[in-house]
Amino acid sequence: MKKSSILILFCACMLGTVLSVAPGQAQAQSSALKKGVQSVRVLELQQQLHSLGYFKAGFTGYYGSLTSKAVTRFQRDNGLTPDGVAGAATQAKLKSFGEVRVTALDQLARIIYSEARGESFEGQVAVGAVVLNRVQSGEFPSSIPDVILQPGQFTAVQDGQYRLKPNKTAYRAARQALNGADPTNGSLFYYNPAIATAKWSKSRPAVISLGRHTFTN
């Protein structure tokens, strides 16, 4: 066989190897959690770290500097590369300590269900997005539970509907919001124009209306 033919055959084999490995590598990279990511998985990570004493901030679902520092401390204590990125090895080590119930996800689904169970799916995601927008705004408490339970903020908490058990749709809406969906375009408030009595609610410029709710800033 000529040298040129051997070279072509070798290159083809190498290309095939690269193509067969690349998808797995891409999947591994995409499964890593790092700064700037907002998702349900980040919320799970924060609660896992909290249960082990590494994360003492509010549960946000957003991978910021506090989450990165907590991951780094966990990695150092467990013989992992302390890079602050929760890759496959770090996630596997965390899981070896046992599963943790993500109570903040339950709370988000609960407020969505109690405040917007009669709305469209988009309208339910919107309520979840308002909670998460408040967490990141600097104008409200910096955790999902604290935003939801802040006195005087949500009617469903005040009148007891918050104690209702959320359905699967509410959980799906909560996950969508945590994964970045925001039909409200960053809104921090919402109200029902048909029953709202507070003048300050109606005085705010409307961003968008979804079903029975008007979302404002």
Side-chain angles (χ1 to χ4, degrees), residues 17 38 111 120 160 173-174 185:
T17 301
Q38 177 181 303
I111 197 64
S120 66
N185 298 316

Side-chain angles (χ1 to χ4, degrees), residues 86-108:
T90 299
Q91 292 179 42
K93 189 64 178 179
L94 278 166
K95 288 184 178 180
S96 73
F97 288 93
E99 296 293 331
V100 175
R101 182 171 179 79
V102 187
T103 55
L105 175 63
D106 295 333
Q107 289 173 300
L108 187 59

Side-chain angles (χ1 to χ4, degrees), residues 63-127:
Y63 204 117
S65 59
L66 293 177
T67 304
S68 179
K69 289 177 182 177
V71 168
T72 300
R73 289 194 295 271
F74 174 80
Q75 290 169 329
R76 285 200 185 103
D77 289 349
N78 288 276
L80 301 166
T81 303
D83 57 7
V85 175
T90 299
Q91 292 179 42
K93 189 64 178 179
L94 278 166
K95 288 184 178 180
S96 73
F97 288 93
E99 296 293 331
V100 175
R101 182 171 179 79
V102 187
T103 55
L105 175 63
D106 295 333
Q107 289 173 300
L108 187 59
R110 192 175 292 272
I111 197 64
I112 289 171
Y113 183 75
S114 59
E115 287 272 319
R117 60 186 178 277
E119 299 299 313
S120 66
F121 180 70
E122 183 182 33
Q124 293 183 48
V125 173
V127 168

Side-chain angles (χ1 to χ4, degrees), residues 150-173:
Q150 185 179 16
Q153 295 300 309
F154 293 99
T155 302
V157 174
Q158 294 174 297
D159 65 18
Q161 292 187 70
Y162 179 66
R163 292 193 290 270
L164 296 172
K165 183 179 179 180
N167 60 15
K168 291 181 180 179
T169 301
Y171 275 99
R172 189 159 61 92

Side-chain angles (χ1 to χ4, degrees), residues 178-213:
L178 279 164
N179 288 331
D182 183 6
T184 76
N185 298 316
S187 295
L188 297 174
F189 303 91
Y190 62 89
Y191 67 96
N192 184 338
I195 59 175
T197 57
K199 292 183 179 179
W200 68 268
S201 294
K202 297 181 178 181
S203 67
R204 293 179 176 276
V207 175
I208 190 172
S209 292
L210 294 169
R212 289 173 292 182
H213 287 144

Side-chain angles (χ1 to χ4, degrees), residues 10-28:
F10 174 76
C11 291
C13 291
M14 290 301 295
L15 179 60
T17 301
V18 170
L19 290 175
S20 65
V21 171
Q25 291 175 333
Q27 186 177 3

